[in-house]
Amino acid sequence: MSFIVQKSLGSSFFRFAVTRRRELRSIDDNPELSTGPDGEFVRHRPEVFYSADIRSIRAAEVPPARSITAMPFWSSMIDGTRRGWITLGVMIAGALFTLMGFAVVANKGAPGWVEVIFGLILIAIPFGITGQKRRAIKQHESLIRKEREERDARNRELLATYNTSLEKLREDPNDEALERVWRENEKLDLPYSLWADTAIGTVLHVGFSTLARVGPERAGEVAALMDRASEAAGLINEDAVAVKRAIYSTILWHYLADDRLGNEQLKVARLIQQGFGITDQDVPNDTSAEAQFERLRGIDHRNAPRCETSVALKLNEYCLYTAAVAGGPTAIHSTNKRVVVESGKPIEIAVPAIDEILVDADTNHVTIRASGLKTPLELGAEEPIYLAAMADLSRKLDDRPKSFT
């Protein structure tokens, strides 16, 4: 039995199963990363279960231009503006006059045709005005279409050249490639949002591949190269910093998923963290996760922790973990027999009923799916990994009297 942790890493959405954490002395001294040159997870322990949704680097594209011809005629007429509502009112009035006219025709004869004709005119006026409006817009578009097409063609060409320069940079991040990216980025006259993801993916790749090639000992040089690549690609400072943190986070989490964060591997992680200029306060979720996994090391059904709790315990029941919950419920308690959530209406989940435990490490939420619950129980917690581990551990405990075994 195990529980699942999911985490969004730089170039992938990563999920792995957490089982009993090994004793520190059982972890080898191999400092090799569990992260490959493309940011992929390199598994050293075959029993580790994981899945990764790799995000490929997509080339930036110029969005297609919209035209009035793509808008339905009725939407052009009743467009939600004050004039549109007046138009609708005129058409309704025309319809009423037409109906009244036909009623007069039926009762009095020819005099009613005046109202019918007047009503039809009122109905026709908005159609005529809208038609003229659309023709004017189409004529105006035809006049500027050539200019727009020329501009879009130029932007597509510039963006294609920029994409090519980024590809060259990913293949070989040298001075010439950096200079070329900088020149092509200077020519771009497009919103940042259109090409930022491609640039971010490129800098990520440069960081991963260079780190794999030169080693963690030269992490400072890798960080400097990434800074140059970010500047050349046109990334804003916030994204340039986030890319370096994403690389460190990926390396740390891959170690954790592989359960290889021993003394030698921790030295490697610290070299990268220091070389990238990242403090523990810069990555609080990662720092907390590392501490929680370390706290779990060696714990299993033979040495389950015990704690005080405010919940009334049943026969042969003891508490493994209790903690405050972020928002909503006041606290959650994990015992060897149940999970108890204190709230306006307390929730109790018997241990055998628990089907799945999932931790979202990005949001610090724990989701428990169990039979008897209409919807999954989702809780925010300061130590979501440790909480999930205790709830999972309770499923492995067998505290029946020996006479029953």
Side-chain angles (χ1 to χ4, degrees), residues 174-225:
N174 54 36
D175 292 342
E176 181 181 351
L178 287 168
E179 178 66 24
R180 181 178 179 184
V181 170
W182 183 84
R183 288 197 310 268
E184 299 305 329
N185 178 259
E186 285 288 297
K187 299 175 185 178
L188 289 181
D189 187 22
L190 290 166
Y192 180 77
S193 58
L194 292 181
W195 48 266
D197 286 346
T198 308
I200 289 172
T202 296
V203 178
L204 266 173
H205 182 84
V206 168
F208 280 126
S209 61
T210 307
L211 191 62
R213 177 168 51 84
V214 304
E217 298 78 9
R218 297 169 62 182
E221 298 176 31
V222 177
L225 176 61

Side-chain angles (χ1 to χ4, degrees), residues 18 35 38 79 92 184 192 220 235 295 301 336 375 381 393:
V18 179
T35 305
D38 292 323
D79 55 6
I92 293 174
E184 299 305 329
Y192 180 77
L235 292 185
R295 186 178 172 187
H301 64 283
N336 61 317
T375 58
L393 177 61

Side-chain angles (χ1 to χ4, degrees), residues 65-93:
R66 295 189 61 185
S67 169
I68 188 66
T69 55
M71 183 182 296
F73 188 91
W74 184 259
S75 298
S76 299
M77 183 182 299
I78 313 299
D79 55 6
T81 64
R82 183 170 178 269
R83 183 174 62 181
W85 292 117
I86 292 175
T87 299
L88 180 60
V90 171
M91 294 178 65
I92 293 174

Side-chain angles (χ1 to χ4, degrees), residues 109-178:
W113 287 110
V114 175
E115 293 178 340
V116 171
I117 294 172
F118 181 68
L120 293 175
I121 290 173
L122 289 179
I123 294 173
I125 287 175
F127 282 93
I129 293 175
T130 302
Q132 291 178 354
K133 174 184 173 182
R134 290 174 67 89
R135 282 194 296 272
I137 292 175
K138 289 178 181 179
Q139 290 174 359
H140 177 68
E141 281 197 342
S142 66
L143 293 176
I144 66 172
R145 184 175 292 115
K146 183 178 180 180
E147 178 184 347
R148 185 184 63 198
E149 289 176 349
E150 290 176 353
R151 183 180 67 250
D152 286 351
R154 177 178 176 274
N155 285 335
R156 279 192 291 270
E157 182 179 351
L158 291 174
L159 205 52
T161 307
Y162 177 66
N163 286 328
T164 301
S165 68
L166 291 178
E167 290 176 9
K168 297 294 184 182
L169 180 61
R170 293 194 291 269
E171 293 171 2
D172 186 7
N174 54 36
D175 292 342
E176 181 181 351
L178 287 168

Side-chain angles (χ1 to χ4, degrees), residues 136-364:
I137 292 175
K138 289 178 181 179
Q139 290 174 359
H140 177 68
E141 281 197 342
S142 66
L143 293 176
I144 66 172
R145 184 175 292 115
K146 183 178 180 180
E147 178 184 347
R148 185 184 63 198
E149 289 176 349
E150 290 176 353
R151 183 180 67 250
D152 286 351
R154 177 178 176 274
N155 285 335
R156 279 192 291 270
E157 182 179 351
L158 291 174
L159 205 52
T161 307
Y162 177 66
N163 286 328
T164 301
S165 68
L166 291 178
E167 290 176 9
K168 297 294 184 182
L169 180 61
R170 293 194 291 269
E171 293 171 2
D172 186 7
N174 54 36
D175 292 342
E176 181 181 351
L178 287 168
E179 178 66 24
R180 181 178 179 184
V181 170
W182 183 84
R183 288 197 310 268
E184 299 305 329
N185 178 259
E186 285 288 297
K187 299 175 185 178
L188 289 181
D189 187 22
L190 290 166
Y192 180 77
S193 58
L194 292 181
W195 48 266
D197 286 346
T198 308
I200 289 172
T202 296
V203 178
L204 266 173
H205 182 84
V206 168
F208 280 126
S209 61
T210 307
L211 191 62
R213 177 168 51 84
V214 304
E217 298 78 9
R218 297 169 62 182
E221 298 176 31
V222 177
L225 176 61
M226 291 176 64
D227 287 338
R228 293 178 61 196
S230 296
E231 182 179 4
L235 292 185
I236 60 176
N237 183 67
E238 180 181 354
D239 286 340
V241 171
V243 170
K244 287 189 289 187
R245 292 177 181 173
I247 289 183
Y248 166 71
S249 179
T250 300
I251 289 168
L252 177 66
W253 277 94
H254 282 172
Y255 269 146
L256 292 173
D258 219 11
D259 196 7
R260 292 184 58 237
L261 195 60
N263 293 327
E264 292 302 317
Q265 296 81 11
L266 190 59
K267 291 178 183 178
V268 172
R270 293 294 176 263
L271 281 174
I272 296 171
Q273 183 180 9
Q274 294 167 9
F276 282 16
I278 299 171
T279 66
D280 289 346
Q281 291 72 30
D282 293 331
V283 284
N285 281 8
D286 298 338
T287 302
S288 175
E290 180 185 332
Q292 291 174 69
F293 276 114
E294 182 62 28
R295 186 178 172 187
L296 290 172
R297 194 173 299 285
I299 293 178
D300 61 16
H301 64 283
R302 295 166 295 185
N303 57 357
R306 301 198 181 197
C307 66
E308 297 294 328
T309 179
S310 59
V311 172
L313 299 175
K314 301 177 181 180
L315 181 65
N316 295 326
E317 184 180 22
Y318 55 88
C319 183
L320 281 72
Y321 180 68
T322 182
V325 176
T330 57
I332 183 169
H333 311 268
S334 179
T335 78
N336 61 317
K337 295 182 180 295
R338 55 191 172 140
V339 173
V340 182
V341 180
E342 291 185 301
S343 61
K345 184 179 180 181
I347 302 173
E348 290 191 13
I349 305 173
V351 166
I354 297 176
D355 298 322
E356 181 186 49
I357 303 172
L358 172 67
V359 175
D360 187 333
D362 293 315
T363 62
N364 286 335

